[in-house]
Amino acid sequence: MKQLLCSIICGFTFAAFAQNEQLAQHYFDRGEFEKAVVSFEDLLKSQPHNFNYFQRTIECYQQLQKFEKAEKLIVDRLELYKQANFLVELGYNFQLQKNTDKAKKYYDQAIDKIRKNHNEVFQIAFAFDKKGLTDYAIQAYELALTIEPSYNFNYQMALLYGQKGDIDAMIEKFLIESFANPQSLVMIQNQLSRFMNEDASVTFNTSLKKALLARTQKTQDVFWNDFLSWFYVQQKEYGKAFIQQKAIFKRNPESFSTIVNLAQLAMNEDDQEAAIEILNFILLNTKDLDLQIKAHAYLIELQIKKAQPADYPAIALELDNRIKQFGVSPYTLQLLQLKAKFLAFQLKDTENARLILKNALEMPLKREEIAEVKMDLADLLLLEEKFNQALIYYAQVETDGGNNPVGQEASLRVAKTSYYKGDFKWAEHQLNVLKSASTQLIANDAMDLYLLISDNTVADSTQTALKKFARADFLLYQNKKIEALAAFQAILKEHKGQEIEPITLLRIGKLQEAQNNIPEAIASYLQIIEQHKDGIYVDEATYFAAELYAKIGDTEKAKPLYEDLIINREDSIYFVDAQKKYRRLRGDKDL
């Protein structure tokens, strides 16, 4: 009974204590330091060795300009523990009073402690860094290194150099550390990529590229070629990244995995020139049948993407030849799927397309491969406007896939099918869940479609314009671009000035681009910019118009559009690309 009573009392005491700490921190975060200091003083009395309570009490005194109280508390702590980091605290207390001489005196005393015991560098440098005393923190690390050269502070010093804006020193330390400890490479590259995406990144990017180029020229170690390749990938310069990967391959021709990944990145970013070059290189240099099949499939996929109807017979022949070359088996599934999609969407031969996919399901496929084929079958059924049958296949994949990317992709297609058939309520329900999908691309697509439905439902409860828009979108899905363009233009005429107008103009612009009607596409984008400048589609319209002006060589009209994105739309997904392209048009060197 006594034990039970003690446990209950201890439980209440602990709960009350935790509540007091939470309340103290709440006051501190709100800037109510008079209230916070009372709570933290009580907490410190109950736990005098708790450094966090000590630190918060000191900070409260300093915020309230009770510097003498802070000094006494720090001096008592210093005398009790004899730790040099409290000298930094004492110096900082004087610095806040603008007594720089006394502050320097204590900072120098802290540095002196390292000479007597180099192990104290960890606490002292951390204390300086926490107070924003970057130069003193660097000095502490440098002094410790002269005494004990086996120490490694490259990463910590790189961060400090970055804080003080010494970009070259930061890069040097990071590169030294990455080579000495390759296990830290990803962490270092994450830090570097932060600087590459900032406003002043042109200077940083130039410095990093020069440092990496210098190392690739001075040493034969492929580590630096791979690092430089990573740099070019961040810049989306896949052709230059490939040059570095070729240099690695010449010295180590065992693996193609990085080169294959690079080809996929180039394809995803629509850099067809680089993708084709990389894929042809793979075909020339590998005897691996699986890689050959993949490379051929990707090359045909690229042909289909830019093909006109006149090109279809040659593509059909190429597909047949490759399937004949490699045979019909689970290994050639990618080619079989590609042929089925080409037959259905380009040649409108859904019967033979369905036959290929159903035969594929008879083969011994892996679980994820079965899911892919079922999704393709559902896509064909959707193409034929057999909405309910398509939903059955999508639902099977969704159920089997759960929350993995394949399952979420199936969920997205269920939502899109509901949208195409005009069942906006169910589509909105599905999309609301998918907005938080683990795959960013799916989450973004879900958000875009969700906003389209919800915005146009609020604006028009009858959803008249939205139904027409969904039908036009479905024509796009069916690859009926001429009919889709006519449908969107009809919406523009019938619902002018309504909520649906800017997204309709955006669709029209993209279709005009596909038909190579550049002036008309630019006019559609400019209409969004001029008439819907506060809408959610203006950044896309601005970027697309800038891209088209750049494409036709009208740089004087492209530059202000890129500049507008840089100055006014920092949250845009096109912000980083706009920066690079603007600087290139402006004539900045060493990009």
Side-chain angles (χ1 to χ4, degrees), residues 40 44 47-59 70 73-75 77-78 86 89:
F40 278 120
L44 188 60
Q47 287 193 26
H49 301 293
N50 187 305
F51 181 77
N52 183 54
Y53 298 154
F54 160 78
Q55 192 70 51
R56 283 286 183 260
T57 306
I58 293 296
E59 287 170 6
L73 196 56
I74 297 166
V75 169
R77 200 84 168 179
L78 177 62
F86 293 116
E89 291 285 349

